[in-house]
Amino acid sequence: MRFVACIKQVPQSQESGIDSVTLSVRREGVPWMISPADEHALEEALHLRERFGGEVQALCMGVKSAVEMLRYALSLGVDRVALVSDPMFVGSDTYVTARVLSRAIEKMGGADVILCGRRSFDGETGQTAPQLAIHQNMICVTNVIRVEANLRGSLKITRLADEGEELIEAEPPILLAVCEGINHVRLPGIGSMRRAKDVPVQVLNGEILGFRPDEVGIKGSPTRVVQVERVEFGRSVRVRIEKDARTGAENILERVFRASEG
Amino acid sequence: MFSETAKKNADACRFCWMCRHVCPVANSTGNEAHTPRAKGLLTSLVERGSDYTPDMAEIMYQCCLCGACSNDCVTGFEPPVFIREARTHAVVNGYVPPSVGPLTESVLENGNIYGKPASEKMSALKDVIGNLPQRADTLLFVGDAAAFRSPETALAVMGLLKKAGANYTVLPDEPSSGAEIADLLGYTEDVRQRAFGTAKALSDTGASVIVTLDPKDAEIFMQHYPKWGAAFSERVETATSCIAALVRSGKLKIRPVQNRKNVTYQDPCRLARDLNEEAPARELIRATGMNLQEMFLHGKLTKCCGGEILREYSPQTASLIAQDRLFDAKRTGASAMVTSCPGCTTSFRKCGDRSGELEVLDLFCLLDECS
Ligand SMILES: Cc1cc2nc3c(=O)[nH]c(=O)nc-3n(C[C@@H](O)[C@H](O)[C@H](O)COP(=O)(O)OP(=O)(O)OC[C@H]3O[C@@H](n4cnc5c(N)ncnc54)[C@H](O)[C@@H]3O)c2cc1C
Ligand code: SF4
């Protein structure tokens, strides 16, 4: 079975900030990490490979330095990796990102199961995975917290819903957008690190993927980020309740009710 | 090559001198390249495009991972993070120094650094283990260092548990915790996989408490297994705190020694620094009636004994480190140094202290005699 994990490189801290000119997340020269949910998506792909056999590929659209992250993915035991990178992709919104990722997956030979994070650590829209599923004509299950495989090849998937959990049985081709904590991520292994040294990182640019510059990046993205605001959380009123815990709690509840009434 | 966390630490450490005076290795060898700062500088050079060479790898093994540098750092940086990763890269690239090579090979083949098959690990203890029940509430985890190098410590702890009427057992084919492997290879998947096997073996015993004799094992069980998903539901307790609790509850009676001495106590690095445990061993020493004199740098500030791993591949450096610490001990006026970690006991006994002025007393053996 062919598993593709989409992993996004994100800044380690939300503090790295938004570029005041482009209004997009600053990515160069800041310490990076794999978007946390994507690390779990990658682990789930490796896990499913252990059960079904096949191949795991990791795919990232990002800046050139994301090669390092893909090398890290190789050291975890991923078979092949590809970096989608081209200045023409800068400023892509989720619509374009999903289109580009989809075409990259075709270029890499297609997928039976695509694994994404439920949302990225920086952009956090959670839109890319469902849009990618549409481009790939796949079933999409989001907020996945458990995947059980049976040998016939079908998957029992548990997902978090608004009220409780949903159990879904489905067969590939399928896209799963997983939650953080679905599994425990592995560490790089000595053997995988040795093997990884000889695996090339394939770089796919716009031309290879057959895009015109006006179809992708800021130009091709229908979304316009007009303004980004920093919201400061401050307390305007501070009340100190110095009584026992019970009276304190009652006092707080009373204030909350009063505030919500008007 | 290095993780972002390692890079961040190395970049902070490479031009900072603040902890160089606490590094037991650099203090003993007098070699500037052995300071935590130099190791940070080398890491950052590699990150900036220099080749990682066998010489650099050699330096990365001149460290006992005692954590004195991290403990000393007021800004919270941790040289062992990049030192461990540098060791992983040494193994991956085939740059492991010739003196360390046999240890890494042994660790990968047998699971221990001592070049012995895993099946021989418990041989010195097998008679006693043979008389223990198969299942019990408490499982004593002996650990590699005690099993291979100081089985008398393990026998003493077993004796104490028996006298206290504890329902305990020991695994006759005890696996390794992975602590030694992690020190030699870094925290890799190989260590994590071993952790899964060990966690399962511990769970299968049905015990509700795991008492660890070696602080290294306690540290990896408590601080790494859970985050790797190799958790077990049993409570982990150090041998020092378990025995102190038995004494406190009156289940274990300690008779004060006839010949009261002035003694000093060596805090094991991982016990004091990583597990924040200082009091139980002191409580036990006082129970024996010995008069405790504290050394310069004790508790969290403790100085390493050289460590049993460094001793296996750099015996001269490890001996210098141990002698340096014995010098601190002598300055207290004590006639004996009490140790509570199998690694420390072996290190001090083997360091070739020529003066013969100072006795090295294993805490558990001492308690066994007093009970
Ligand atoms: C403040 C701000 C507001 C924005 N608002 C919008 C908006 O309203 N509408 C809009 O369409 N775009 C918006 N974007 C744009 C855009 O830059 C997205 O961040 C980007 O397209 C990826 O989407 P995401 O980060 O939300 O990923 P998500 O959709 O949250 O990511 C889900 C999963 O998709 C996969 N994935 C996402 N990106 C990649 C990648 N580059 N490489 C590999 N896998 C990946 C990962 O598995 C990830 O876990 C905004 C950006 C900013 C900074
Ligand atoms: S961990 Fe100990 S031996 Fe290693 S660099 Fe730090 S102080 Fe020196």
Side-chain angles (χ1 to χ4, degrees):
Chain A
M1 219 178 272
R2 291 160 304 171
F3 302 96
V4 173
C6 294
I7 57 174
K8 185 178 183 184
Q9 190 189 38
V10 296
Q12 268 188 10
S13 143
Q14 307 259 17
E15 298 295 300
S16 62
I18 304 277
D19 189 298
S20 56
V21 180
T22 62
L23 295 184
S24 56
V25 180
R26 211 173 276 141
R27 297 189 187 282
E28 294 283 8
V30 292
W32 58 267
M33 61 179 184
I34 305 182
S35 188
D38 301 3
E39 229 183 329
H40 293 280
L42 187 60
E43 174 63 38
E44 204 54 35
L46 292 166
H47 215 72
L48 288 172
R49 182 187 64 184
E50 278 158 21
R51 277 184 270 170
F52 287 121
E55 189 192 47
V56 172
Q57 302 188 35
L59 173 64
C60 169
M61 171 167 143
V63 289
K64 284 266 152 41
S65 60
V67 165
E68 258 184 274
M69 181 187 75
L70 290 167
R71 289 232 148 267
Y72 179 78
L74 286 170
S75 76
L76 296 175
V78 164
D79 301 290
R80 285 197 285 150
V81 294
L83 172 66
V84 181
S85 190
D86 195 312
M88 74 161 82
F89 295 139
V90 172
S92 295
D93 65 5
T94 59
Y95 169 74
V96 170
T97 303
R99 259 189 91 196
V100 174
L101 290 176
S102 176
R103 214 172 276 178
I105 290 170
E106 293 308 318
K107 196 81 200 166
M108 291 162 75
D112 299 303
V113 182
I114 299 177
L115 291 118
C116 289
R118 77 181 164 116
R119 58 160 188 197
S120 70
F121 180 72
D122 54 355
E124 271 195 295
T125 64
Q127 297 168 355
T128 311
Q131 296 184 68
L132 176 57
I134 291 171
H135 288 297
Q136 286 284 309
N137 202 12
M138 281 186 177
I139 311 163
C140 174
V141 185
T142 56
N143 284 350
V144 175
I145 54 166
R146 199 160 38 250
V147 183
E148 290 162 79
N150 71 28
L151 290 175
R152 292 191 321 277
S154 77
L155 301 169
K156 254 192 188 168
I157 304 151
T158 313
R159 71 180 292 272
L160 275 185
D162 284 347
E163 286 165 16
E165 294 176 2
E166 285 175 4
L167 187 65
I168 295 166
E169 209 167 331
E171 277 175 25
I174 191 167
L175 184 147
L176 307 173
V178 310
C179 291
E180 300 83 348
I182 178 176
N183 47 36
H184 280 277
V185 295
R186 67 193 62 200
L187 301 168
I190 300 283
S192 317
M193 287 169 99
R194 283 187 180 145
R195 272 192 302 280
K197 287 202 292 177
D198 304 320
V199 181
V201 175
Q202 194 184 354
V203 180
L204 303 171
N205 61 21
E207 197 188 326
I208 294 174
L209 295 179
F211 285 111
R212 289 190 319 271
D214 61 340
E215 283 179 286
V216 289
I218 288 192
K219 285 193 201 135
S221 297
T223 308
R224 291 283 164 271
V225 179
V226 182
Q227 197 188 348
V228 177
E229 259 180 70
R230 176 175 283 276
V231 182
E232 300 289 345
F233 295 97
R235 280 180 230 152
S236 50
V237 188
R238 206 176 283 205
V239 186
R240 203 171 164 140
I241 303 163
E242 284 177 344
K243 292 225 173 78
D244 60 286
R246 192 185 172 86
T247 331
E250 280 168 4
N251 211 321
I252 291 168
L253 276 180
E254 203 185 298
R255 281 168 190 273
V256 172
F257 283 130
R258 223 185 297 142
S260 63
E261 277 161 12
Chain B
M1 185 168 109
F2 288 89
S3 73
E4 287 293 306
T5 318
K7 281 193 246 173
K8 204 160 70 186
N9 278 280
D11 279 355
C13 298
R14 68 195 174 126
F15 289 137
C16 176
W17 302 87
M18 299 310 284
C19 68
R20 63 197 295 287
H21 66 292
V22 299
C23 175
V25 177
N27 281 345
S28 298
T29 62
N31 186 339
E32 185 61 32
H34 294 163
T35 59
R37 169 189 175 264
K39 290 163 189 149
L41 196 51
L42 290 177
T43 305
S44 73
L45 279 177
V46 173
E47 270 313 312
R48 283 164 177 73
S50 294
D51 284 340
Y52 184 47
T53 62
D55 287 356
M56 293 184 187
E58 176 96 46
I59 288 167
M60 296 300 186
Y61 278 95
Q62 287 303 310
C63 163
C64 35
L65 294 171
C66 69
C69 45
S70 313
N71 186 61
D72 193 61
C73 181
V74 291
T75 34
F77 290 102
E78 298 182 67
V81 171
F82 52 79
I83 296 171
R84 271 204 164 83
E85 280 191 23
R87 291 180 178 188
T88 306
H89 293 301
V91 178
V92 171
N93 291 308
Y95 294 162
V96 172
S99 57
V100 185
L103 273 77
T104 48
E105 277 156 31
S106 171
V107 132
L108 291 170
E109 195 182 319
N110 310 312
N112 65 67
I113 59 170
Y114 303 98
K116 302 256 174 66
S119 56
E120 279 182 30
K121 177 172 166 183
M122 306 303 268
S123 47
L125 308 171
K126 71 171 184 298
D127 292 346
V128 187
I129 296 175
N131 294 325
L132 296 175
Q134 280 197 336
R135 294 175 83 80
D137 301 337
T138 301
L139 177 80
L140 173 67
F141 192 87
V142 172
D144 288 0
F148 286 110
R149 291 284 186 258
S150 63
E152 66 282 3
T153 309
L155 290 169
V157 178
M158 291 175 175
L160 291 168
L161 290 171
K162 187 175 171 197
K163 286 174 206 165
N167 174 234
Y168 85 99
T169 191
V170 175
L171 279 173
D173 47 0
E174 185 187 273
S176 294
S177 70
E180 278 93 355
I181 313 181
D183 281 2
L184 278 174
L185 310 182
Y187 294 122
T188 65
E189 185 61 16
D190 315 74
V191 181
R192 183 171 167 262
Q193 285 304 324
R194 196 166 292 271
F196 279 116
T198 304
K200 182 168 182 318
L202 297 181
S203 289
D204 288 350
T205 62
S208 55
V209 183
I210 314 258
V211 174
T212 48
L213 177 46
D214 194 323
K216 250 191 171 58
D217 297 324
E219 191 254 351
I220 197 166
F221 286 156
M222 291 190 208
Q223 303 192 337
H224 298 275
Y225 273 42
K227 71 178 178 218
W228 293 339
F232 38 82
S233 55
E234 299 81 344
R235 186 162 53 85
V236 178
E237 214 180 326
T238 60
T240 29
S241 73
C242 162
I243 303 291
L246 290 174
V247 173
R248 237 177 280 135
S249 68
K251 288 187 183 143
L252 182 66
K253 300 262 183 301
I254 302 290
R255 292 184 313 271
V257 286
Q258 299 283 314
N259 176 15
R260 292 182 181 219
K261 293 182 196 161
N262 283 343
V263 298
T264 189
Y265 171 61
Q266 163 71 0
D267 286 277
C269 304
R270 302 230 169 140
L271 189 66
R273 279 199 270 270
D274 297 312
L275 301 175
N276 251 324
E277 190 197 296
E278 298 173 23
R282 290 179 166 75
E283 216 175 300
L284 290 168
I285 293 172
R286 288 198 187 95
T288 64
M290 300 278 197
N291 180 30
L292 181 64
Q293 316 260 13
E294 294 291 6
M295 273 188 274
F296 167 61
L297 299 181
H298 59 269
K300 261 181 143 20
L301 299 177
T302 187
K303 264 200 230 171
C304 187
C305 64
E308 71 275 22
I309 300 182
L310 186 77
R311 166 161 311 281
E312 294 291 325
Y313 62 81
S314 262
Q316 275 178 326
T317 306
S319 282
L320 285 172
I321 296 172
Q323 284 178 18
D324 180 47
R325 190 53 168 162
L326 285 175
F327 182 69
D328 288 338
K330 282 178 208 155
R331 279 195 301 183
T332 64
S335 57
M337 177 200 255
V338 179
T339 53
S340 67
C341 154
C344 296
T345 311
T346 316
S347 286
F348 290 121
R349 287 194 175 150
K350 283 201 169 173
C351 78
D353 173 43
R354 281 168 294 272
S355 67
E357 287 165 32
L358 202 79
E359 203 184 342
V360 176
L361 291 175
D362 179 276
L363 175 63
F364 302 106
C365 294
L366 173 68
L367 291 167
D368 198 26
E369 280 168 29
C370 298
S371 53

